[in-house]
Amino acid sequence: MEYEQMMANFTEHQNVSVNVQIGEAPVNQSIRNIRYKQVAFLKIHKAGSSTAQNIFLRYGYSRNLLFVLSKVRKEQYDNVISLSSSLNENNTIAPPMNKTFDVLCNHVLYNREAFQKYIPGNTAYIGIVREPFEMFLSTLNYFRPAYIFNKIKAITPVLNYLVDPWKYEKGLPLTYSLTNNRMALEFDFPKHLFKTYSKEESNAYLSKLDQEFHFVIIMEYFAESVIMMRRILGWSIKDVLYVKKNSAKKYSFVDNTYRYLYQRFAKLDYDLYNFYYIQLWEKIKLEGIDFQLELSFFQNLRKAVEDYCIKHNQTVLPYHVPDSKWSTAFNVTRKDCDLLLLNEMKFVSLIRQRQQTNSTFSK
């Protein structure tokens, strides 16, 4: 839904008027009274999270902050803490003595108590979600789960799965499934809801998450999301610049006429997505026209920086960004480009090497 239509619908249903002048201060200016240094980002598989993760990796690395990292394990990617549990002493490296972590942005399941234990204090909690059917297709393309592609002996295994998902999910441990409301699983929805869905209980848990997360990015509206996140966290324009990561080529397992089948199955994921989708546009509405002006400025700047980093990669001089209403002047250097373009595995490895060099960690 386009922004203008969303605003019209929202104001009609809420019986409020919008009367914002160009240059007027955002309505909810108070959200910028707090500046967050520590951040916990819930990195969700196949939800554009690698692009978002680079923002948090650069933020922490450029300030020499302390990252939560996984223990080194065989047959385990360096950017994964766990795909089946939250943070614990078996899957993470303990911090140096008398220090606490500042940044979490690698794959791990959410649990409020575990997250607070590892990053206590004034920490910003950020998540990310994607339209569930699109995430389902992307997951199939990347992981090729055996319980679909190997187990289902049919010309159209994905369609067979969608017609009766429980037939193929039955007996599969919840944390092993990549297609059974995976976003809800990683956001730690109550486990019984995956078998016995309750709209009332789902909404109750969403209310709980709303108290715990400062902001959740919507992948389909990534630029809008990072600008809103920047305002909430009190970060700079430069902090939230990004280059798209891991954008797969087009793939087709089933077409959109079968989307309803996945909606029927993935009720928790759709509850989660719709909740934060609506919330994003409500927050944008409160920011007024100034948000749209900043968004336009940011989108043009991001494209210019991407061209500087990729198309003009032989240029030695930094790319200068002059003062604007939303940012003081700054330069984008070749070093900045290197970090913007750095693969997440290499970035995490770089951080691991620095932390092992600068501090005493337990193995």
Side-chain angles (χ1 to χ4, degrees):
M1 187 179 295
E2 296 297 329
Y3 172 71
E4 292 81 1
Q5 184 181 352
M6 173 63 79
M7 282 193 62
N9 290 348
F10 182 78
T11 54
E12 177 183 350
H13 290 129
Q14 298 296 321
N15 194 27
V16 297
S17 61
V18 179
N19 183 19
V20 182
Q21 302 299 318
I22 292 179
E24 183 178 346
V27 177
N28 59 337
Q29 182 109 18
S30 62
I31 64 174
R32 285 176 291 286
N33 291 340
I34 299 174
R35 296 295 186 266
Y36 293 94
K37 172 189 168 187
Q38 296 170 300
V39 61
F41 171 58
L42 183 60
K43 189 178 190 298
I44 303 293
H45 272 102
K46 312 316 297 174
S49 60
S50 292
T51 302
Q53 182 197 38
N54 183 266
I55 294 173
F56 303 111
L57 290 171
R58 290 191 344 265
Y59 180 84
Y61 184 80
S62 65
R63 292 163 175 80
N64 200 28
L65 301 181
L66 196 61
F67 286 80
V68 181
L69 297 177
S70 67
K71 288 185 175 179
V72 178
R73 293 156 289 175
K74 291 183 179 180
E75 300 179 358
Q76 180 77 54
Y77 290 119
D78 212 23
N79 63 332
V80 174
I81 295 173
S82 178
L83 300 179
S84 59
S85 65
S86 193
L87 301 169
N88 61 62
E89 61 183 15
N90 295 321
N91 58 31
T92 57
I93 300 174
M97 188 174 296
N98 299 323
K99 289 189 176 182
T100 57
F101 291 113
D102 301 302
V103 182
L104 167 66
C105 60
N106 286 330
H107 286 295
V108 71
L109 304 192
Y110 177 65
N111 176 273
R112 182 64 174 184
E113 291 183 4
F115 274 44
Q116 285 183 320
K117 177 182 177 181
Y118 276 80
I119 311 185
N122 187 31
T123 300
Y125 282 72
I126 306 295
I128 189 168
V129 293
R130 182 181 186 178
E131 198 284 326
F133 185 66
E134 296 300 324
M135 180 177 167
F136 168 71
L137 296 178
S138 181
T139 297
L140 297 183
N141 183 63
Y142 186 81
F143 290 104
R144 302 277 171 164
Y147 58 89
I148 294 178
F149 289 101
N150 293 351
K151 185 176 181 179
I152 303 176
K153 306 300 181 182
I155 298 175
T156 56
V158 175
L159 181 55
N160 283 48
Y161 171 86
L162 287 173
V163 169
D164 187 7
W166 282 116
K167 179 179 179 180
Y168 306 101
E169 296 282 350
K170 186 178 180 180
L172 189 68
L174 186 57
T175 55
Y176 286 15
S177 176
L178 297 167
T179 50
N180 183 2
N181 293 278
R182 183 70 196 191
M183 287 192 297
L185 173 73
E186 298 195 19
F187 270 90
D188 198 30
F189 270 64
K191 299 303 182 289
H192 69 274
L193 292 180
F194 292 80
K195 290 186 176 180
T196 308
Y197 173 77
S198 163
K199 181 67 173 176
E200 182 180 357
E201 289 187 63
S202 177
N203 286 343
Y205 187 73
L206 285 168
S207 295
K208 176 180 180 291
L209 285 180
D210 194 35
Q211 297 299 312
E212 296 173 355
F213 278 79
H214 294 79
F215 186 69
V216 173
I217 297 165
I218 305 296
M219 176 185 165
E220 288 79 5
Y221 296 93
F222 197 86
E224 290 88 344
S225 293
V226 297
I227 289 300
M228 181 56 68
M229 182 182 76
R230 182 198 79 75
R231 291 182 170 212
I232 292 172
L233 301 188
W235 290 6
S236 71
I237 287 281
K238 185 176 181 179
D239 288 331
V240 298
L241 287 171
Y242 64 89
V243 174
K244 292 182 180 179
K245 306 280 185 183
N246 298 345
S247 295
K249 297 178 181 179
K250 293 294 182 180
Y251 41 78
S252 177
F253 298 103
V254 289
D255 63 45
N256 287 309
T257 60
Y258 298 105
R259 185 184 300 265
Y260 77 96
L261 292 173
Y262 197 64
Q263 289 174 327
R264 183 180 65 183
F265 173 61
K267 291 184 175 70
L268 295 176
D269 270 5
Y270 272 98
D271 286 350
L272 176 66
Y273 179 80
N274 291 335
F275 180 84
Y276 283 111
Y277 177 91
I278 292 171
Q279 189 176 95
L280 170 65
W281 294 106
E282 289 176 342
K283 289 179 183 293
I284 289 174
K285 184 188 81 70
L286 291 174
E287 293 293 287
I289 195 65
D290 183 75
F291 184 92
Q292 295 302 317
L293 296 174
E294 180 180 347
L295 177 63
S296 178
F297 168 81
F298 177 77
Q299 288 174 321
N300 290 331
L301 172 61
R302 197 198 70 77
K303 292 175 183 176
V305 168
E306 191 170 271
D307 284 348
Y308 168 75
C309 289
I310 298 174
K311 295 182 179 180
H312 304 285
N313 57 6
Q314 299 302 313
T315 303
V316 177
L317 292 176
Y319 181 79
H320 180 70
V321 181
D323 281 330
S324 71
K325 183 177 179 181
W326 307 280
S327 173
T328 57
F330 64 89
N331 288 330
V332 177
T333 66
R334 279 293 140 207
K335 177 65 174 177
D336 292 324
C337 288
D338 290 342
L339 296 180
L340 276 162
L341 298 172
L342 193 58
N343 171 279
E344 66 180 283
M345 296 287 288
K346 293 180 179 179
F347 210 148
V348 173
S349 178
L350 180 66
I351 290 168
R352 185 185 295 277
Q353 291 171 14
R354 185 167 74 173
Q355 291 189 177
Q356 287 176 340
T357 300
N358 294 349
S359 306
T360 302
F361 284 85
S362 58
K363 297 294 184 181

